[in-house]
Every structure is written in C-alpha cells, then in structure tokens.
Amino acid sequence: MIERTLVIIKPDAVKRGLMGEIISRLERAGLKIVAAKMVWARREQMEGFYPSDEGWLRSVGNKTLNSYKEMGLDPKAELGTDDPVEIGRMVKRWLVDYMTETPILLLVVEGNHAVSVVRKLVGNTLPYKAEPGTIRGDFSVDSPDLANREKRSIRNLVHASDSPEEARREIAYWFREDEIYSYK
Ligand code: ADP
Ligand code: MG
C-alpha cells in the first residue's frame, strides 16, 4: 500500500520555526520525502487548491457550529448566520488570507499507507481537540470559537491530504511529475 500524500507546512509553522520539527516527525515515522518546494502562493492559487463544493463548505461550517453548540455560543449572534455552507464560505476566505501570509513549504510524502499515517501524525483539524503527541496537539490549542471571533482561520500548522483521491489531485496541483523523485 505505498501511497503518496501532500503535506503543506502552513504560515504559522513557518513563522514559528517549526519546519524542521515537522519534517523530522514525518521522517522519524519512516515516511520518505520525495518532493519539496517553497512557494508564496497567490490568493487565486489557494482558492483553487481548497474545494468549493457545498459538501466541503458544509463540513467546514459544521466544525464551527458543533464547537459553538458545545460552548453554548449563538452562531447568528457571533457570525450573522447559522447556515453551515455560508459559514464555510466565510472560513474559506479567512483560510486564503492565512495561507498567503508567508511562503509555505509543499512536501510530497511517500510510504506505506502514507495518507492515513500522516493524518494520524497531524491530528484533529481543531488543535484544542488534537491528541498530545500529534503535530497539532503538541503545538497549538486553537479552536473555532476563538478563531471565528477574530475573523480568521484556525491555525493548525499543517495541511495533509484527506484521502488517496484528494492526494492525487493536490499533488498534481502543485508538482509536475518530473519534480517528484524515486529513490531507495
Ligand atoms: P483539515 O486541514 O484537517 O483537512 P479541513 O479540510 O476541513 O481540515 O479544513 C481546511 C482548513 O480550514 C483547516 O485545516 C483549518 O485551517 C481551516 N478550518 C476548517 N474549519 C474551520 C472552522 N470552522 N473555522 C476556522 N477555520 C477552519
Ligand atoms: Mg482537508
């Protein structure tokens, strides 16, 4: 089950000097870096990278709604809407702001079950819920209530593809086939 997955070291991790720490966690687990590139993405590039379909926007919006419910916060009062797709659209704009703050580091990571193994090393999307020992759990306590109140995306240090299909699309979005290496 040798797979490839896309990892992005996001601007908060770049600013905090955590690129090396994150790469060494991937290497320590036995995963192989087969491509790497630093880019300062343009807004349109980030808009095209993250999905725009209703399903994805709803899933992102629901992360806010669930954590508001847990905390007894009223989404209408905080954000002016309780529609998950609408909130998803708002979050996507903040996400594009975040991802274009500094250059980002793009990595193609290869290994046995790489997609699910990397997701496990990275941890829950919401750092306050991520287990200790994961990248997000060890280096952040961010949550949607805090982030959304400050009109910004959750800062969670890394992106990692969610499925083998997403990985194929995301890798092809940033890398040409001849930029990805094969070595023992
Ligand atoms: P993941 O990065 O774990 O795959 P998603 O694909 O659902 O998570 O979301 C993409 C990114 O958008 C997240 O990593 C996070 O930075 C941001 N994000 C997602 N949901 C929210 C939210 N409800 N509020 C603020 N930011 C969010
Ligand atoms: Mg995702």
Side-chain angles (χ1 to χ4, degrees):
M1 270 302 278
I2 299 300
E3 291 174 341
R4 283 175 180 172
T5 188
L6 182 79
V7 171
I8 305 180
I9 303 190
K10 294 179 169 184
D12 52 329
V14 172
K15 289 183 200 178
R16 291 172 63 190
L18 292 171
M19 286 192 284
E21 169 75 35
I22 292 166
I23 291 171
S24 65
R25 284 174 179 230
L26 300 171
E27 290 182 322
R28 188 174 68 183
L31 295 160
K32 201 198 296 188
I33 311 288
V34 293
K37 191 192 281 187
M38 195 174 214
V39 303
W40 198 327
R42 287 174 287 105
R43 292 190 69 85
E44 312 80 72
Q45 269 179 305
M46 276 334 305
E47 273 155 15
F49 173 68
Y50 284 106
S52 304
D53 60 282
E54 283 216 350
W56 186 81
L57 294 170
R58 177 171 292 114
S59 106
V60 165
N62 276 328
K63 288 178 196 181
T64 289
L65 289 175
N66 291 335
S67 94
Y68 276 26
K69 192 181 283 169
E70 245 178 56
M71 258 156 274
L73 294 170
D74 175 9
K76 275 202 168 141
E78 299 278 333
L79 300 170
T81 175
D82 57 4
D83 173 29
V85 176
E86 201 56 31
I87 296 172
R89 268 201 202 95
M90 227 181 275
V91 169
K92 182 163 172 178
R93 278 196 298 277
W94 299 333
L95 183 55
V96 171
D97 296 339
Y98 165 39
M99 294 298 285
T100 55
E101 274 174 19
T102 68
I104 52 179
L105 188 66
L106 304 165
L107 303 169
V108 179
V109 176
E110 188 179 272
N112 192 31
H113 295 280
V115 173
S116 60
V117 167
V118 169
R119 289 292 294 195
K120 191 178 58 169
L121 295 171
V122 164
N124 194 297
T125 303
L126 311 179
Y128 84 118
K129 294 222 161 143
E131 297 291 336
T134 65
I135 296 168
R136 288 166 171 173
D138 281 351
F139 294 105
S140 176
V141 289
D142 204 10
S143 65
D145 53 299
L146 180 64
N148 294 178
R149 181 161 293 167
E150 296 177 348
K151 305 272 176 259
R152 61 169 177 80
S153 162
I154 300 255
R155 297 174 167 276
N156 54 10
L157 305 123
V158 264
H159 167 86
S161 312
D162 207 359
S163 65
E165 304 72 58
E166 192 178 81
R168 272 189 285 279
R169 184 190 78 80
E170 291 183 349
I171 291 168
Y173 192 83
W174 297 106
F175 290 91
R176 296 192 315 266
E177 202 42 53
D178 68 355
E179 294 176 316
I180 306 171
Y181 297 103
S182 196
Y183 63 93
K184 285 207 189 259

